[in-house]
Amino acid sequence: MAESTRLTTEEVRHIALLARIGMTDEEVEEMRGQLSDILEQFEALSRVDTGDLEPTGHSVDLLSVMREDVARPSFDREETLANAPNREGELVRVKAVLE
């Protein structure tokens, strides 16, 4: 990646702002180099000619390692909820994630 296409300090600060990450000047400079190196690797990959290759989901064949789904009795409700930190009847009460 040419020096002119490397990320600028302002671009890194903008990315940090979007990610809600506070960074010192030293961290911004370190991240500028690291992110620029990552982008350089993507540029190298984008130059690889894959026109004659068939798209694949995996580079090797995979076998499913999932066990067969077998119905069985559930755990006892009272036993399951015994250690719930904040219980409301038959439910576990949790703090709101979205407001």
Side-chain angles (χ1 to χ4, degrees):
M1 176 184 279
E3 187 63 33
S4 62
T5 60
R6 294 184 70 79
L7 289 173
T8 65
T9 301
E10 293 75 28
E11 289 170 323
V12 175
R13 289 189 190 286
H14 182 69
I15 292 168
L17 178 67
L18 293 173
R20 305 291 192 258
I21 299 172
M23 300 178 84
T24 65
D25 291 342
E26 293 80 22
E27 290 170 329
V28 168
E29 232 4 79
E30 181 179 355
M31 191 58 63
R32 187 173 81 88
Q34 291 177 2
L35 289 174
S36 294
D37 291 343
I38 291 169
L39 292 174
E40 183 178 306
Q41 295 302 311
F42 278 103
E43 284 180 6
L45 288 173
S46 71
R47 291 191 297 269
V48 174
D49 181 14
T50 58
D52 295 334
L53 298 177
E54 192 173 322
T56 61
H58 294 279
S59 58
V60 295
D61 291 333
L62 294 177
L63 297 174
S64 177
V65 294
M66 303 286 279
R67 66 171 169 77
E68 191 171 327
D69 193 13
V70 179
R72 61 182 182 191
S74 297
F75 292 111
D76 176 70
R77 181 178 293 137
E78 285 304 314
E79 201 174 309
T80 302
L81 294 172
N83 292 319
N86 191 2
R87 184 174 167 183
E88 191 170 295
E90 296 180 349
L91 306 172
V92 176
R93 182 105 172 135
V94 297
K95 291 181 181 180
V97 177
L98 303 173
E99 294 185 34

